Amino acid sequence: MIKPELLTIHLIAAARPNFMKVAPLFHALSAEDWCRPLIIHTGQHYDANMSDDFFRDFNLPEPAYHLGIGSGSHAEQTGNVMIAYEKICLKSRPDWLVVVGDVNPTAACSMTAAKLGIPIVHLEAGLRSGDRGMPEEINRLVTDVLADVLWTPSPDADKNLAREGISQEKITRIGNIMMDSFELLKPQIEADKTLEKYGYKKHSYGVVTFHRPSNVDHMKVLATIIDQLCHVSEMIQLIFPIHPRTRQRLNEFGLMERLAAAPNIRLLEPVSYIPFMALVKSAKLILTDSGGVQEETTYLDIPCLTVRPNTERPITVTEGTNKLVKPEAVVTEAQKALSGDWQRGKKPDLWDGQAAKRAARDLKRRSLAAQ
Ligand code: UD1
Ligand code: UDP
């Protein structure tokens, strides 16, 4: 017995990396008879190819609430989400709040809920890059210190939380939900025709994504990356769906012309999940600074060069196919990977497509215990 009425669970979805994490959990909770999941879209990402297309791919319903916050400085985004989300909680208080990942609304909704006494669950808890220059690291620290339940993807995350003094009973290792997302849409990804559309043969091309402020907001760093990509494209054709932040900076710094003139680099708008994963799945090499892509390439056993000095996902380096590289070393490292000199990975424990089921079970157990 839980309650005569169903427990209401708010799932916060704000930006691209949230939608594919919320989707498996939403579907798993929707199949339960004790709860009612509601999606709250904060509106951080709003272009169709950064938001709606993911709702369509993952067969998610319209959000129960849309906060319409949009872009802004860190403080604007955080403050505006807090103000808007507090109004919803005061009108219709949820039994649980689930926040995912490390974007600004993850921390904002956690702070709002904590002060209202609403229990918080953090999905993808415990990841640490150790780099407070990353806005996401601040969001991870704030969210984890406030969360009542911490769902972790890997043992390194458990260790980080233990080191920070988070009590053991709050932590459940559920595994990596990004693999659930992939498994959920695997048939559609396998049937996708994007490769044929662009005339690519399997394993004959590389996929590129960049959007970290530390890479794209600094002209010199971005210029180095573009230069390196142009050289890599002399060895292998590249496909580069450009994040809106990156497109803006490329235009602002006058680097777009150089990139657009490279004959072997295909520039695209961001692509939605199914075609993106179809491209990644058959790629020979990935060049990225994305968090999620480091995990997807480890799962799919594809060499991944991550242009960052650190990662909050170290298991992708120790057990997977990921390698951290400096911007100026991209060509050398790509050459090595293309010649077969790269580390074959194994799927980390509990990266098995069952994380959402374990999460739903854990939340039911905790809800019963709280009665
Ligand atoms: C955000 C997250 C980052 C995540 C990334 C995933 C934070 C601090 N950052 O970074 O952790 O890795 O999303 O993609 O939460 N823009 C558009 N259309 C959109 C959305 C954004 O044009 O639909 C443009 C706006 O000019 C905006 C800029 O992109 O100012 C940056 O967007 P923002 O959401 O602030 O940060 P991201 O770089 O996307
Ligand atoms: N992704 C996508 N289309 C793209 C780029 C990325 O569907 O053009 C997906 C991919 O599954 C990735 C996820 O979006 O793992 C989140 O990516 P992003 O790099 O935006 O965020 P991060 O994981 O770095 O926070």
Side-chain angles (χ1 to χ4, degrees):
M1 238 321 263
I2 286 198
K3 231 172 147 184
E5 69 274 19
L6 301 180
L7 298 191
T8 300
I9 303 173
H10 282 180
L11 305 180
I12 305 297
R16 181 167 71 185
N18 297 162
F19 306 133
M20 70 281 299
K21 291 169 197 164
V22 160
L25 185 61
F26 176 83
H27 292 305
L29 292 174
S30 297
E32 297 284 322
D33 61 3
W34 56 273
C35 66
R36 185 174 68 115
L38 296 179
I39 295 178
I40 319 278
H41 194 325
T42 71
Q44 178 175 0
H45 285 174
Y46 41 84
D47 291 343
N49 58 23
M50 295 293 287
S51 175
D52 290 4
D53 293 353
F54 292 84
F55 276 71
R56 188 202 53 222
D57 279 4
F58 282 101
N59 197 20
L60 288 171
E62 285 285 309
Y65 300 94
H66 199 301
L67 309 185
I69 301 305
S71 303
S73 70
H74 288 286
E76 280 166 346
Q77 279 186 348
T78 307
N80 288 337
V81 167
M82 288 184 73
I83 294 165
Y85 183 56
E86 184 181 52
K87 289 192 179 126
I88 289 171
C89 291
L90 291 174
K91 199 166 72 186
S92 165
R93 184 188 172 87
D95 297 286
W96 288 101
L97 162 67
V98 178
V99 291
V100 307
D102 53 20
V103 297
N104 285 336
T106 305
C109 291
S110 300
M111 285 191 280
T112 307
K115 290 182 179 175
L116 293 173
I118 296 166
I120 303 161
V121 185
H122 186 200
L123 169 56
E124 203 183 80
L127 298 186
R128 298 288 182 270
S129 65
D131 175 1
R132 291 197 185 187
M134 255 188 119
E136 293 82 359
E137 186 76 351
I138 310 292
N139 295 332
R140 294 178 198 120
L141 289 162
V142 168
T143 305
D144 284 345
V145 86
L146 296 177
D148 300 280
V149 177
L150 297 101
W151 285 338
T152 58
S154 46
D156 54 285
D158 296 3
K159 280 193 203 121
N160 292 333
L161 295 175
R163 200 181 49 239
E164 289 168 18
I166 308 271
S167 78
Q168 201 56 42
E169 61 272 18
K170 289 183 174 181
I171 304 167
T172 304
R173 195 186 326 152
I174 62 154
N176 193 326
I177 203 150
M178 291 286 277
M179 309 310 130
D180 293 41
S181 323
F182 181 80
E183 292 299 327
L184 204 59
L185 294 188
K186 198 171 176 183
Q188 291 90 323
I189 292 166
E190 283 175 348
D192 185 81
K193 296 279 177 257
T194 304
L195 252 70
E196 288 88 332
K197 181 172 147 193
Y198 293 123
Y200 291 144
K201 290 204 178 67
K202 284 186 178 178
H203 314 300
S204 72
Y205 62 89
V207 176
V208 178
T209 80
F210 282 97
H211 72 278
R212 297 253 93 86
S214 55
N215 280 330
V216 307
D217 285 2
H218 305 279
M219 185 171 167
K220 244 179 105 181
V221 182
L222 188 56
T224 303
I225 291 172
I226 298 309
D227 197 48
Q228 295 273 314
L229 291 178
C230 290
H231 282 102
V232 174
S233 75
E234 290 161 12
M235 300 186 270
I236 186 166
Q237 53 189 344
L238 297 177
I239 183 155
F240 185 0
I242 306 181
H243 188 283
R245 171 189 289 276
T246 310
R247 184 173 289 279
Q248 269 180 16
R249 298 295 179 258
L250 287 165
N251 287 326
E252 205 175 302
F253 300 151
L255 294 167
M256 189 55 105
E257 288 72 21
R258 165 125 171 83
L259 188 58
N264 227 11
I265 307 182
R266 183 185 296 273
L267 304 180
L268 298 178
E269 290 296 320
V271 286
S272 66
Y273 186 80
I274 292 171
F276 183 74
M277 291 314 299
L279 285 168
V280 168
K281 191 174 158 289
S282 296
K284 177 113 176 137
L285 175 69
I286 308 290
L287 303 165
T288 193
D289 59 12
S290 160
V293 174
Q294 295 174 57
E295 300 178 332
E296 290 157 342
T297 44
T298 276
Y299 189 65
L300 296 169
D301 200 26
I302 294 168
C304 178
L305 299 181
T306 299
V307 184
R308 283 181 48 188
N310 49 54
T311 178
E312 61 291 332
R313 292 158 162 95
I315 200 166
T316 60
V317 177
T318 53
E319 293 191 16
T321 59
N322 191 20
K323 185 166 190 181
L324 302 182
V325 302
K326 292 196 166 92
E328 60 277 15
V330 170
V331 174
T332 313
E333 294 297 336
Q335 216 158 16
K336 279 193 208 160
L338 291 173
S339 68
D341 180 6
W342 59 281
Q343 177 184 299
R344 297 302 297 261
K346 68 170 176 129
K347 289 185 174 63
D349 193 30
L350 301 185
W351 292 29
D352 57 1
Q354 302 297 314
K357 272 194 199 141
R358 286 189 284 270
R361 238 183 357 248
D362 186 61
L363 201 53
K364 183 175 183 182
R365 177 181 68 79
R366 290 176 185 276
S367 301
L368 282 166
Q371 285 192 322

